[in-house]
Amino acid sequence: MIMEKVAVVGHGTMGAGIAQAFLQGGFEVLVIGRDHDSLKRGFENISMSIEKGIAKGVIGHDKKEGLMENLKPSLDYNDIEGAVLVIEAVPESYQTKTMVLSMVEAHAEGAIIATNTSSIPVTKLSEKIRNKERFLGMHFFNPVPSMKLVEMVETEYTSDDTKARAVELVSRIGKKAVMVRDYPGFVANSILMPMLNEAAVLLEKKVAGKEDIDEIVRLGLHHPMGPLELADLIGIDVCVDIMEAIYAETKDEKFNPAAILKAMRRDGILGRKSGQGFYTYQS
Ligand code: CAA
């Protein structure tokens, strides 16, 4: 049986997680990187995450080799040829994303083209896409291997066929697709970001300590994680980028990042990935 190919451009936290999800779903996965060294690191991160899945018992012990054989790292956009779906998962910058999307489109004949943006309007990104009917947002959640949702963002140009095919592909990796209209922050971050921001403001005002704020939300509101530990998981820089992007679109003060968050980003206190955020992490 010929395996279908999915291409992922970018291999940071989100790109690597998305690649792993499609590998586990039985796809051949091409991962396009920027340079040899960072691509090698991305490949190693995917390999380590698969090990973690094995240790947790969610991936069979004998599956790793087969999964890694289906993972094709590349620096060449020509290799996208033949993919059924291409997902752009590069950093949250309009310039970077539109540049990548233009290069993707030149090699993605007939494929669905998706962006994993969490805050840039998908319609704005579609301005640089010629085949707008094949383009949509596919917003994955961190940690991708565990999170069951993909927030699908349609523009006024996305065709019904594209939506149906994208939903079907997502269901084949065991995730649930929910379609929403393009809107600043879509649904998830419109709800989540004001909560994370408010938690940071409450900490700034010394209303409660960080552990207590998190415990109140975990035990009182029954969230799996408190907002400050969740901000550390997402990345403080990513949270501030998302808030600033939504604030730029809406001018709604609830998205204006708290001073403490901006200071943490400035000082490289970025959460789990830097070893220090609201909490300290051992690598
Ligand atoms: N391969 C590799 N690792 C796997 C795996 C697999 N197949 N399946 C699970 N894991 C990992 C998980 O990633 C998780 O890793 P960490 O220890 O590093 O967190 C670990 O195994 C445990 O995962 P479980 O599924 O067993 O879940 P848990 O019950 O221990 O809960 C959690 C962990 C899923 C992180 C949970 O605390 C949770 O749901 N937290 C909230 C997360 C959340 O809200 N995420 C959304 C953030 S917003 C976002 O991402 C979008 C945006 O635009 C900002």
Side-chain angles (χ1 to χ4, degrees):
M1 201 178 89
I2 298 172
M3 280 183 130
E4 283 181 304
K5 178 162 87 178
V6 167
V8 182
V9 185
H11 42 70
T13 308
M14 296 311 288
I18 294 166
Q20 185 190 335
F22 278 96
L23 280 174
Q24 284 180 238
F27 291 84
E28 178 187 319
V29 180
L30 173 79
V31 174
I32 301 263
R34 195 178 60 236
D35 60 65
H36 190 268
D37 286 352
S38 67
L39 189 59
K40 188 162 166 274
R41 276 198 304 279
F43 190 83
E44 285 162 2
N45 286 342
I46 295 169
S47 169
M48 269 166 7
S49 181
I50 290 174
E51 291 283 358
K52 191 171 172 183
I54 293 171
K56 276 192 62 65
V58 287
I59 301 175
H61 281 279
D62 52 344
K63 293 279 186 293
K64 182 167 182 197
E65 208 175 311
L67 291 175
M68 292 309 285
E69 269 171 20
N70 293 331
L71 175 63
K72 317 279 179 196
S74 171
L75 297 174
D76 186 355
Y77 281 75
N78 283 303
D79 292 340
I80 289 174
E81 222 74 58
V84 291
L85 167 68
V86 188
I87 303 175
E88 165 279 306
V90 299
E92 203 70 356
S93 136
Y94 174 77
Q95 277 74 21
T96 314
K97 284 190 183 289
T98 47
M99 189 189 72
V100 163
L101 286 168
S102 301
M103 290 197 287
V104 164
E105 195 176 26
H107 301 284
E109 186 82 25
I112 297 172
I113 303 176
T115 171
N116 179 51
T117 185
S118 43
S119 59
I120 302 173
V122 178
T123 308
K124 199 165 152 193
L125 290 172
S126 80
E127 281 163 12
K128 298 285 158 71
I129 299 270
R130 279 179 290 111
N131 298 289
K132 294 183 182 9
E133 73 287 354
R134 283 197 271 120
F135 183 62
L136 81 171
M138 280 173 95
H139 181 208
F140 287 78
F141 292 82
N142 190 357
V144 180
S146 293
M147 301 298 284
K148 295 281 174 239
L149 178 73
V150 184
E151 191 177 28
M152 314 283 275
V153 187
E154 59 176 304
T155 73
E156 62 175 299
Y157 310 107
T158 313
S159 72
D160 289 344
D161 178 54
T162 297
K163 285 187 266 180
R165 282 166 61 207
V167 168
E168 194 260 332
L169 288 167
V170 164
S171 75
R172 279 165 57 193
I173 60 168
K175 300 205 189 287
K176 166 88 178 151
V178 177
M179 196 66 70
V180 303
R181 277 196 14 243
D182 198 12
Y183 180 80
F186 319 132
V187 170
N189 282 328
S190 293
I191 296 171
L192 177 62
M193 289 302 149
M195 185 183 75
L196 302 188
N197 210 17
E198 194 57 34
V201 170
L202 290 168
L203 184 68
E204 270 175 356
K205 289 183 177 165
K206 299 192 170 45
V207 176
K210 59 188 177 193
E211 286 91 355
D212 289 342
I213 292 172
D214 279 342
E215 187 151 61
I216 285 166
V217 172
R218 270 199 316 272
L219 301 185
L221 307 181
H222 217 324
H223 290 204
M225 294 175 96
L228 301 173
E229 53 179 348
L230 180 56
D232 276 357
L233 171 70
I234 296 168
I236 303 300
D237 52 340
V238 174
C239 290
V240 176
D241 285 350
I242 295 172
M243 288 177 201
E244 284 179 342
I246 305 176
Y247 184 58
E249 293 287 326
T250 61
K251 297 286 176 284
D252 188 333
E253 280 303 315
K254 65 181 181 244
F255 295 106
N256 193 2
I260 186 175
L261 292 173
K262 289 202 271 197
M264 288 169 80
R265 177 178 64 174
R266 182 197 61 215
D267 297 340
I269 301 171
L270 304 180
R272 281 200 197 189
K273 63 183 162 192
S274 72
Q276 183 65 50
F278 289 105
Y279 298 92
T280 304
Y281 304 88
Q282 322 283 359
S283 56

